[in-house]
Structures are given as C-alpha cells and as structure tokens.
Amino acid sequence: MACVMWFRRDLRLGDNPALLEACADGAVLPLFVLDPALWGPAGPVRRAYLARSLRALDESLGAARLSVVHGDPVRRVLLAAREVGATRVHVAADFGPHGHRRDADVEQALGDAGIELVRTGSPYAVAPGRVTSGAGEPYKVFTPFSKAWADHGWRAPVDAPTQPSWLTLDETAGIPEAAVPDGVGLPEAGEAAALRRWHEFLEDRLEGYDEARDRPGVDGTSHMSVHLKWGEIHPRTMLADLARHRGTGARTYRKELAWREFYADVLFARPATAREYLRPEFARMRYDDPADHLEAWQRGRTGFPVVDAGMRQLRATGWMHNRVRMIVASFLVKDLHVEWQHGARHFMDWLVDGDLASNQHGWQWTAGCGTDASPFFRVFNPTSQGRKFDPDGAYVRRWVPELADAADPHDPGPAARERAGYPAPVVDHAEERREALDRWEEIR
Ligand SMILES: Cc1cc2nc3c(=O)[nH]c(=O)nc-3n(C[C@H](O)[C@H](O)[C@H](O)COP(=O)(O)OP(=O)(O)OC[C@H]3O[C@@H](n4cnc5c(N)ncnc54)[C@H](O)[C@@H]3O)c2cc1C
C-alpha cells in the first residue's frame, strides 16, 4: 500500500510519530508543498532558512528524494496522493489559524476522493486545546496552565523509522533557491544541526542557564527556537532529556518550553488575536501614527543604545535575545506610542524563528494587552534596563560598534554621540512614560 507523508513544520525523521504511522502503511511519498500563502509572507530570512532545512531533510532520505511541489495544498496534496495511489495522507496536526483552516479544506478535498487525512501528534508536547481549566475553558493565565500542562504529561520520544520505503513524484519543482539577505548570518539548518546544538547546550550551558539567560551580552541561551519553529527537533525529545537533569537550569528551561505551548494554546482558543487585541479595551487607546519613529526603530537609530543594539542584531542575524525583544517592544509601544501590530509585523519579516503564536503573544504580553500580561503601567526605562541586563556594555558595544569605545555605552553624553556619529535620543523617556500612563488612564 502507498501513502503520503506531508511534511510541514516537522522537518525531521526522528521522534516523528506521524512518519511512523505513515511507514506502517507501506511505501511513503515524502512531500512538501510550497504554499504561496505562507512562502510570500515568510520574509527573506525565514525563506532562506526553510530552503536549507528542506535540503537537509532531502539529504537525510538517502538515495530517495523529498518531492517538493508549489501551489495551493488543497489541489497539490490531492494530485500527489492520486499519482502514487495513496489511500491515506499523514500529517502532524497544525493548530495555527491558517494551518488549521487549510487542513480542514485539504481533508474535505481528499475525503471527496476517498482518501483519508490522518493527524498524528503536533509540534507541541501537549496539543493546543487539550488542557482546560476545571470549567472546561482555555487557561488565560500561564502558571495554572503550566501546572495542568505538566500534570497532563506527554508521550515518550519515538525512534526514526527503520528501512522505510520511499516513493517520488515523477515531476517536482525542486527545493527553491532562496538567497540569504546581504550581511545576514544564518544558523546551520536541519535535524542533525538541531540535535548537535541541543546536546552542546545541555553539556555546556544548561547548568548556568537560569542566570545567563537574561544577559544578552553572554551566549547563555540555547538558540533552539528556530529548530523548534521548523520541527527539526520535537519539544518532547527535549523534555525527555531535561527530565534526566536536576537543578534550576533544567527547571527554568522546561518553563520556557511551557510558554511556547501556552501561547499556542491561547492563539488556538482565540485565533483573531493574531491581529486583534486580546484585551479589547486597548483598541480604544490613543496611538501615534508610526511615521518616522517606526523607521528609526526598525533601523536601530533611536538613540537608545540597547534598543538599537537589539534592532541591529535582528537585522544581522534574524534573531534577537529574549530580554531585548521585551525592551524594544516596550519602547515601541510605550515610548513611541505605536500599536504592537507594527512591531510584530517587522519581527515576522526578519525573525528566523518567527512564530505567529510566540511572536504575537510575546508582543501583546509586553504591550500590556495580552493574556497574563505584564501590567501596562510597568514601563521599561531602556537605559536602566540596558545597565541592569548588560552591565559591562558588551552587548551594546558589539551591535552598536560606533559606541564600542564609549565610556558609558548605555548613556553616552552629547559629545560622545557626536564623536561617534550616533543619534541623540528620538524622544525623552520620562516625558513619554507620563504620556503613556495618561493614555492608559483614559481607557481604564
Ligand atoms: C516581543 C517578543 C516576540 C517574540 N517572538 C518570538 C517568535 O517569533 N518565535 C519564537 O520562537 N519566540 C519568540 N519570542 C520568545 C523568545 O524571545 C524566543 O523564543 C527566544 O528568544 C529564542 O531564543 P532561544 O531559543 O535561545 O531561547 P531559550 O532561552 O534557550 O529558550 C528555550 C525555548 O523556550 C521557548 N521560549 C523561551 N522564551 C519564550 C517566550 N517568552 N515565549 C514563547 N516561547 C519561549 C522557545 O521555544 C525557546 O527556543 C518572542 C518574545 C517576545 C518578547
């Protein structure tokens, strides 16, 4: 019997229950559909990474080939299934707003042709929608969610299939060429790279993670977000490894993975919050026209060193440290009074790990309008945040090289700015803080 394994955000062979189900059916067509609805908006950095990840998956199939086709999945998956005579198409379930709808449409089209869409697993340890409060409602607050999530538990990792029999389509479009934007350095892609990076992190940095993770000038985090984004590794594999480690590093890391699962759960329960305020009263707040300030923020020219360092790190690497993501997001919303959606869009254009649930809800959390959000009145002072989390200025010196020799890189005086060709602050933080709080009072 033949079947299709339709890869999407699960670009790996190991610990892939959907793939094992497929192999149990007989010969398997490994398929990837380049959906223009996703490929276009992905942004150049994510497109380049995805092309590399597909190449790595293709190589891991040995003598076989990954069949890549372009177009609307509703049509393409059906055509592919028909060509190989498949009776079942296997996937890991997608819980994002677009993927969920798309899968329902594909399921309908396949069903009309007598072919079954089989969902096994998801990109999460616990599928969104699975844990609910006592009243059967989705959780709105992280801590009780994470407790229920841990109590629910997850299955153990599974092995890669042994000696699978692969099929190929007669005609495929091939893996697209997607150039990396000038000056951007991307991490190595693929399952083997993800596992290597994970094991290096476990060995070298897990123990000190709890302290180092908040220091953007130190390489203290795992950089696993991009591998998780494309499913080059499953969080279940990581959770199983973490369970073998004691100490605060492993505990804190597990909590961070739970945040990823929480945001997926929140977005699944409220798909409109990919664009809309989770707390609707914030839609009534007065905001400024993005105008020039948005561009200064995007280019890392606001005159606030830690903000500019973060925005330049994003452009140079497709990644930004979590602490700095919070600082730059707070600055855009509360100092420049620009709606969070503008910033979230810029992040999605540039982040290699850009993930709708974590990004939109990371933004809403910082902007004070999200679930379990940091209260709006807690306005970050970018200069003291910089001093606190980058005390020796290593992060700012690295990403704002014109301030490398500044005596106080977090707050260079007018003469030091002039010498360095570094701009004066675009706003007065104390004034904008008051302004933000006034606007917030209006909607309370
Ligand atoms: C405004 C904003 C936007 C964000 N956008 C994204 C995004 O598009 N994609 C994305 O994966 N993460 C996003 N995050 C969360 C977080 O910043 C990144 O996951 C983290 O910086 C990735 O680096 P790492 O793998 O080295 O993290 P580590 O510290 O090593 O964390 C381990 C893993 O835990 C998960 N994680 C950690 N922190 C969070 C968090 N706050 N929310 C959700 N998951 C988390 C990630 O999967 C991460 O890979 C955003 C956070 C903010 C504040």
Side-chain angles (χ1 to χ4, degrees):
M1 227 170 65
C3 71
V4 176
M5 171 66 201
W6 176 19
F7 287 96
R8 295 100 62 90
R9 289 183 54 187
D10 45 358
L11 306 180
R12 66 181 186 281
L13 303 185
D15 193 9
N16 189 335
L19 178 60
L20 280 190
E21 285 289 317
C23 291
D25 272 358
V28 180
L29 171 73
L31 178 74
F32 188 87
V33 183
L34 266 185
D35 178 354
L38 293 178
W39 179 252
V45 179
R46 244 174 7 269
R47 283 200 293 267
Y49 187 90
L50 172 59
R52 289 177 180 200
S53 187
L54 290 174
R55 215 156 283 130
L57 178 64
D58 184 51
E59 279 162 22
S60 69
L61 298 175
R65 297 254 70 126
L66 176 68
S67 289
V68 178
V69 294
H70 293 197
D72 180 357
V74 175
R75 195 166 150 265
R76 283 302 181 173
V77 174
L78 177 60
L79 285 177
R82 277 210 177 116
E83 181 176 327
V84 297
T87 51
R88 309 217 292 171
V89 172
H90 292 271
V91 293
D94 192 326
F95 290 89
H98 172 83
H100 199 65
R101 240 183 354 254
R102 173 205 58 207
D103 286 359
D105 294 343
V106 171
E107 186 171 34
Q108 172 86 46
L110 289 174
D112 291 346
I115 302 167
E116 191 188 352
L117 182 75
V118 184
R119 297 174 180 85
T120 309
S122 77
Y124 304 99
V126 179
R130 189 73 64 76
V131 291
T132 51
S133 70
E137 295 289 317
Y139 280 101
K140 296 197 175 88
V141 177
F142 173 72
T143 305
F145 168 86
S146 67
K147 198 175 167 311
W149 172 82
D151 288 346
H152 179 283
W154 35 85
R155 59 196 281 183
V158 293
D159 290 333
T162 45
Q163 300 192 312
S165 160
W166 301 118
L167 302 168
T168 317
L169 292 177
D170 284 343
E171 269 183 48
T172 69
I175 295 166
E177 293 296 330
V180 184
D182 274 353
V184 177
L186 284 188
E188 200 186 333
E191 182 176 5
L195 286 169
R196 209 165 34 245
R197 201 174 230 195
W198 174 236
H199 290 138
E200 274 168 19
F201 172 75
L202 285 179
E203 232 160 76
D204 302 339
R205 281 171 291 144
L206 178 66
E207 214 179 290
Y209 174 72
D210 195 35
E211 293 217 335
R213 61 183 282 272
D214 253 340
R215 298 278 303 273
V218 171
D219 188 15
T221 70
S222 68
H223 295 267
M224 291 303 290
S225 49
V226 65
H227 303 301
L228 284 163
K229 155 78 195 170
W230 294 111
E232 296 167 336
I233 189 168
H234 196 279
R236 187 178 42 230
T237 310
M238 299 163 76
L239 287 161
D241 287 337
L242 290 171
R244 286 189 278 277
H245 286 80
R246 304 227 162 272
T248 51
R251 262 204 310 280
T252 303
Y253 198 96
R254 201 167 116 123
K255 193 169 109 204
E256 297 308 316
L257 288 177
W259 273 105
R260 175 177 178 271
E261 308 241 337
F262 177 55
Y263 284 150
D265 192 74
V266 171
L267 185 62
F268 178 60
R270 304 271 307 272
T273 60
R275 313 264 169 269
E276 291 168 12
Y277 290 86
L278 189 124
R279 293 170 186 232
E281 67 271 26
F282 279 84
R284 298 199 317 267
M285 189 137 123
R286 282 190 294 121
Y287 296 97
D288 287 357
D289 187 344
D292 299 349
H293 280 163
L294 179 64
E295 198 186 332
W297 177 82
Q298 289 172 336
R299 303 211 154 274
R301 303 282 298 165
T302 66
F304 288 87
V306 74
V307 172
D308 294 340
M311 298 311 293
R312 295 187 198 183
Q313 180 182 33
L314 174 64
R315 287 289 260 262
T317 65
W319 185 86
M320 193 195 298
H321 190 278
N322 179 60
R323 171 57 53 185
V324 190
R325 290 188 206 206
M326 292 195 268
I327 296 172
V328 305
S330 169
F331 184 78
L332 186 74
V333 175
K334 298 183 187 174
D335 283 77
L336 302 181
H337 317 293
V338 170
E339 288 188 88
W340 68 267
Q341 294 90 337
H342 294 280
R345 195 170 315 127
H346 180 73
F347 267 35
M348 287 305 276
D349 283 347
W350 283 94
L351 278 175
V352 71
D353 64 18
D355 170 86
L356 199 67
S358 293
N359 189 58
Q360 310 309 81
H361 283 288
W363 271 91
Q364 296 223 41
W365 187 91
T366 315
C369 57
T371 183
D372 208 5
S374 117
F376 187 88
F377 58 79
R378 213 171 281 155
V379 180
F380 283 163
N381 175 327
T383 309
S384 40
Q385 286 283 310
R387 287 217 171 93
K388 180 167 175 198
F389 294 105
D390 181 33
D392 56 2
Y395 182 72
V396 162
R397 292 182 208 281
R398 164 136 197 234
W399 295 108
V400 187
E402 62 268 38
L403 296 180
D405 298 324
D408 182 358
H410 288 294
D411 193 12
R417 287 175 191 261
E418 175 131 18
R419 262 197 317 279
Y422 183 67
V426 288
V427 292
D428 177 320
H429 170 69
E431 254 171 47
E432 301 312 330
R433 177 176 179 279
R434 274 193 301 277
E435 175 66 23
L437 294 178
D438 286 349
R439 295 186 189 199
W440 178 63
E441 283 295 339
E442 291 168 10
I443 62 158
R444 285 183 73 197

